[in-house]
């Protein structure tokens, strides 16, 4: 199956997610400190926080469960420590713990990661809300109360207060609209305040990981902005596009991805190249990542071709001399799109272009300068080399791909970036399998199976279903290769179980391209299993 790719994007003045299966977005680099915050692309929602809170996963589960059950008194010391680490009030810490505790499918070892993600969104929420200062006295009072409730972690009350503030300002705006021309400024101020309140509630909803609802709130905010304020409209539209992308990327929602594409195109009209060339290039980069994500799930290549064209257009403004780090980011994203296209074509030209793009990115993204970005690029380079190696008779490219993956794992460790680590393990497993199929022994094939099993420790169906499907697909192929090498029917039966699980998830997620391949593979494995069973003598016969 195809190697997975990591993904980077830059958004100016808007929140852009970086998660990704099948493409993981990462916009910055962590320091590896016990609790560090790293800004990504100038947007708070893309920051990365790494915290261990001094607790074991089991202890963190205990605290989050207590928060859900409102029985935190015996654990108040731990909650106080967590609140101090995050820089929030104890009541807010309880609320954040309750949010993660209400996610039953998050494994214990990922609770810290999810808590820090929610805490990052909470910090951004506080920043956005702190800037609210409605002209309407009633709304101002409601917003101030909402700020206090958010600081105290009382999200339900904050929802109501922000809703009331928005209604108060909309009502005041409607009243102001009845006035003559001299009241236009007052009306605009009320609508801008209402839009800001709607967006603040959108940020609150993003913190709660409800992306579709947040996208609707940002859309409402954009619709409330009066004429003559294009920057505010564009800002809210960008946040809507990002929320839709996160819904589509993380939840396997292709309809949301299509809506995100439409919204990014609207943003590009609002930020033309002639007026703001670098902003325009950043928006092209963001449009490209959505096109690539959707194109990877579809059987055709139209979306992927458009993604490549979009990245090339962005590079006309994001030049190496002008913005070297952004240039490197777009080079890597271009490589990702070229790689997927290359895997669907018989030649090697696109794959060679992808390798060139990754090597270009590595000119700026060095290991010493940005170790995690370097690791991502190394992994993506390994993917392209692996695809080329499968089309060549020798093993040089495959060996180079394995070396690239192992290098990436030295920086992208399980503790630092568990999902990226899992992705690299999966891709390493695919490369080792290809090498093992060209060797006489089973050592490489056993290594491949072990790498896929390691990836599945992080790739769970409830959290990242498509990633689990891709890893199940790779594990099934590795097990099947071992079964044939060892003439083992039980191995092939396990391989069939894994591939059927992948088919089910592909079908539910609308992943048509890999669904077709996996369905064919199931038929092939069933035939192989039948052949192996014929060779196995009945019990009692020798």
């Amino acid at each position: 199956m195809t190697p997975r790719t990591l993904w980077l994007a830059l958004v100016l003045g808007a929140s852009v997610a970086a998660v990704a299966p099948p493409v993981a977005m990462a916009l910055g680099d962590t320091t590896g400190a016990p609790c560090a915050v790293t800004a990504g692309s100038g947007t708070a929602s893309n920051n990365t926080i790494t915290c261990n809170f001094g607790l074991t996963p089991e202890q963190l589960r205990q605290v989050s469960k207590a928060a859900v059950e409102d029985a935190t008194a015996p654990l108040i010391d731990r909650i106080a420590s967590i609140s101090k680490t995050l820089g929030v009030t104890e009541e807010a810490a309880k609320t954040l713990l309750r949010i993660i505790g209400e996610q039953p499918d998050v494994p214990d070892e990922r609770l810290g990661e999810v808590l820090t993600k929610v805490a990052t969104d909470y910090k951004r929420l506080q920043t956005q809300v702190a800037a609210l200062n409605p002209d309407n006295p009633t709304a101002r009072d409601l917003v101030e109360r909402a700020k206090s409730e958010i600081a105290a972690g009382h999200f339900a009350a904050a929802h109501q207060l922000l809703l009331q503030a928005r209604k108060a300002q909309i009502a005041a705006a409607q009243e102001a609209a009845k006035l003559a021309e001299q009241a236009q400024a007052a009306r605009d101020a009320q609508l801008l305040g209402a839009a800001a309140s709607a967006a603040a509630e959108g940020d609150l909803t993003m913190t709660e990981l409800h992306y579709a609802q947040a996208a609707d709130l940002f859309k409402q905010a954009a619709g409330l902005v009066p004429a003559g304020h294009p920057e505010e409209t564009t800002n809210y539209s960008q946040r809507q596009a990002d929320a839709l992308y996160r819904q589509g990327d993380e939840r396997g929602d292709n309809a949301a991805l299509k809506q995100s594409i439409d919204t990014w195109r609207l943003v590009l009209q609002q930020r033309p190249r002639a007026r703001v060339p670098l902003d325009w290039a950043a928006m092209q980069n963001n449009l490209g990542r959505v096109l690539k994500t959707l194109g990877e799930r579809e059987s055709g290549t139209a979306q992927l071709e458009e993604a490549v064209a979009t990245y090339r257009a962005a590079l006309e403004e994001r030049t190496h001399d002008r913005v070297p780090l952004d240039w490197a980011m777009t080079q890597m994203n271009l490589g990702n799109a070229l790689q997927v296209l290359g895997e669907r074509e018989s030649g090697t030209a696109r794959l060679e272009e992808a390798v060139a793009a990754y090597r270009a990115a590595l000119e700026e993204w060095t290991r010493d300068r940005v170790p995690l970005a370097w690791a991502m690029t190394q992994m993506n380079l390994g993917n392209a080399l692996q695809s080329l190696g499968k089309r060549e008779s020798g093993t040089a490219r495959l060996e180079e791909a394995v070396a690239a993956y192992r290098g990436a794992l030295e920086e992208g460790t399980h503790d630092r970036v568990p999902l990226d680590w899992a992705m690299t393990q999966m891709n390493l497993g695919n490369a080792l399998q290809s090498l093992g199929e060209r060797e006489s022994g089973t050592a490489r094939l056993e290594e491949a199976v072990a790498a896929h099993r390691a990836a599945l420790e992080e790739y769970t169906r409830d959290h990242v279903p498509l990633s689990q499907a891709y890893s199940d697909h790779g594990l099934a192929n590795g097990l099947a290769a071992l079964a044939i090498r060892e003439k083992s029917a039980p191995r092939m039966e396990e391989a069939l179980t894994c591939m059927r699980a992948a088919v089910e998830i592909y079908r539910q997620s609308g992943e048509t391209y890999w669904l077709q391949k996996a369905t064919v593979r199931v038929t092939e494995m069933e035939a192989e299993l039948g052949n192996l069973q014929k060779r196995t003598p009945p019990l009692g016969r020798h």
Side-chain angles (χ1 to χ4, degrees):
M1 70 170 288
T2 185
R4 301 289 314 289
T5 57
L6 280 173
W7 198 264
L8 284 182
L10 172 65
V11 169
L12 301 178
S15 60
V16 173
V19 186
V23 176
M25 304 290 297
L27 297 115
D29 195 20
T30 57
T31 64
C35 185
V37 180
T38 304
S41 287
T43 61
S45 69
N46 288 318
N47 291 350
T48 299
I49 307 177
T50 304
C51 292
N52 57 29
F53 306 105
L55 300 177
T56 66
E58 292 76 16
Q59 289 173 331
L60 191 53
R61 171 64 73 186
Q62 182 185 23
V63 176
S64 64
K65 181 179 180 182
V68 172
E69 297 173 352
D70 196 20
T72 57
L75 301 173
I76 195 63
D77 288 342
R78 292 179 182 175
I79 292 173
S81 176
I82 291 172
S83 69
K84 183 177 179 181
T85 300
L86 295 177
V88 302
T89 66
E90 290 185 15
E91 287 300 312
K94 292 178 185 178
T95 298
L96 300 183
L97 286 164
R98 175 180 55 76
I99 289 174
I100 69 167
E102 290 174 344
Q103 310 294 320
D105 297 316
V106 175
D108 290 358
E109 62 271 16
R110 293 201 62 251
L111 283 172
E113 177 191 346
V114 176
L115 176 57
T116 52
K117 177 182 178 182
V118 173
T120 299
D121 285 344
Y122 177 69
K123 288 288 189 178
R124 172 187 44 73
L125 163 67
Q126 289 184 303
T127 300
Q128 296 287 348
V129 172
L132 295 180
N133 186 26
D135 288 339
N136 184 295
T138 300
R140 187 184 308 121
D141 176 67
L142 289 165
V143 166
E144 290 303 318
R145 289 165 57 193
K147 292 178 184 178
S148 299
E149 295 293 352
I150 288 172
H154 302 153
F155 285 4
H159 267 295
Q160 291 301 316
L161 289 167
L162 288 170
L163 175 61
Q164 292 174 37
R166 184 164 86 253
K167 288 181 176 179
Q169 289 167 103
I170 292 173
Q174 292 171 341
E175 182 63 25
K178 299 176 184 178
L179 302 176
E181 185 176 338
Q182 66 268 25
Q184 187 66 48
R187 176 181 179 272
D188 287 359
Q190 296 297 338
L191 286 173
L192 286 170
S197 295
E201 189 176 357
D203 290 326
L204 176 60
T205 308
M206 287 286 284
T207 302
E208 297 171 319
L209 311 181
H210 300 153
Y211 304 133
Q213 297 93 315
D216 184 64
L217 285 164
F218 291 132
K219 182 179 180 180
Q220 290 183 43
L224 287 168
V225 175
H229 299 271
E231 285 302 311
E232 287 83 350
T233 301
T234 302
N235 177 272
Y236 296 141
S237 294
Q238 287 181 214
R239 288 152 79 175
Q240 177 194 356
D242 171 56
L244 288 166
Y245 173 75
R246 289 174 70 171
Q247 171 69 16
D249 183 48
E250 297 180 26
R251 308 291 162 79
D253 187 342
N254 287 353
L257 289 177
K258 292 176 182 177
Q259 292 177 51
S260 180
I261 289 170
D262 291 341
T263 308
W264 280 122
R265 285 175 174 152
L266 175 63
V267 169
L268 281 166
Q269 294 175 15
Q270 296 167 341
R271 287 199 167 148
R273 181 176 184 176
R275 182 168 62 85
V276 282
L278 287 181
D279 283 7
W280 174 86
M283 301 308 105
Q284 289 281 5
N285 189 67
N286 292 330
L287 172 60
R289 74 177 170 149
V290 190
L291 288 165
K292 194 266 182 184
T293 301
L294 183 60
E296 197 169 32
R297 297 179 186 177
E298 297 179 344
S299 56
T301 62
Q303 305 279 14
L304 294 168
E305 293 283 5
E306 189 174 355
V308 168
T310 298
Y311 289 129
R312 294 197 192 282
L315 286 169
E316 293 176 9
E317 296 294 343
R318 278 186 164 182
T319 63
H320 183 273
D321 292 340
R322 195 176 189 182
V323 281
L325 291 180
D326 293 344
W327 170 86
M329 178 189 298
T330 307
Q331 285 286 358
M332 191 181 76
N333 289 345
L334 172 61
N336 292 341
L338 286 166
Q339 180 198 325
V340 178
L341 273 172
E343 290 168 355
R344 299 185 182 184
E345 297 175 352
S346 58
T348 61
R350 298 274 201 176
L351 293 173
E352 294 287 3
E353 284 185 88
V355 168
Y358 292 137
R359 294 197 191 281
L362 287 168
E363 294 175 13
E364 290 297 328
W365 280 359
T366 63
R367 184 171 185 175
D368 291 339
R369 190 178 190 181
V370 281
L372 287 183
W374 173 87
M376 282 188 290
T377 312
Q378 283 290 118
M379 192 202 73
N380 290 339
L381 173 61
N383 293 344
L385 290 168
Q386 179 183 168
S387 296
L388 282 168
K390 289 178 178 179
R391 299 181 183 183
E392 297 174 353
S393 57
T395 61
R397 297 268 203 174
L398 291 173
E399 293 284 5
E400 192 177 354
V402 168
Y405 293 137
R406 295 198 192 281
L409 288 169
E410 292 176 8
E411 292 294 341
T413 63
H414 182 273
D415 290 340
R416 287 177 89 180
V417 281
L419 289 180
D420 295 350
W421 171 87
M423 187 181 298
T424 308
Q425 288 283 3
M426 180 179 66
N427 292 338
L428 173 61
N430 293 335
L432 288 167
Q433 179 196 329
S434 296
L435 277 171
E437 289 172 342
R438 299 183 184 186
E439 298 174 351
S440 59
T442 62
R444 297 274 201 176
L445 295 176
E446 293 284 3
E447 283 186 88
V449 167
H452 284 301
R453 293 195 195 280
L456 285 167
E457 293 175 11
E458 290 297 329
Y459 282 162
T460 62
R461 180 165 185 172
D462 292 326
H463 182 59
V464 280
L466 273 176
S467 294
Q468 188 198 34
Y470 296 135
S471 203
D472 274 336
H473 195 137
L475 176 59
N477 284 333
L479 288 166
L482 264 176
I484 293 172
R485 186 69 52 85
E486 298 173 343
K487 297 181 174 56
S488 169
R491 288 269 203 187
M492 189 62 73
E493 289 173 350
E494 185 181 1
L496 258 173
T497 299
C498 293
M499 191 62 76
R500 286 167 178 159
V503 165
E504 181 184 353
I505 297 175
Y506 289 152
R507 185 175 291 113
Q508 293 175 353
S509 301
E511 174 48 291
T512 57
Y513 179 78
W514 286 105
L515 173 62
Q516 293 172 2
K517 287 185 171 293
T519 302
V520 170
R521 201 66 189 100
V522 166
T523 302
E524 293 172 348
M525 287 180 178
E526 288 173 343
E528 291 165 351
L529 177 60
N531 291 333
L532 289 170
Q533 289 172 333
K534 289 177 183 177
R535 296 175 184 173
T536 303
L539 291 175
R541 294 182 62 185
H542 303 281

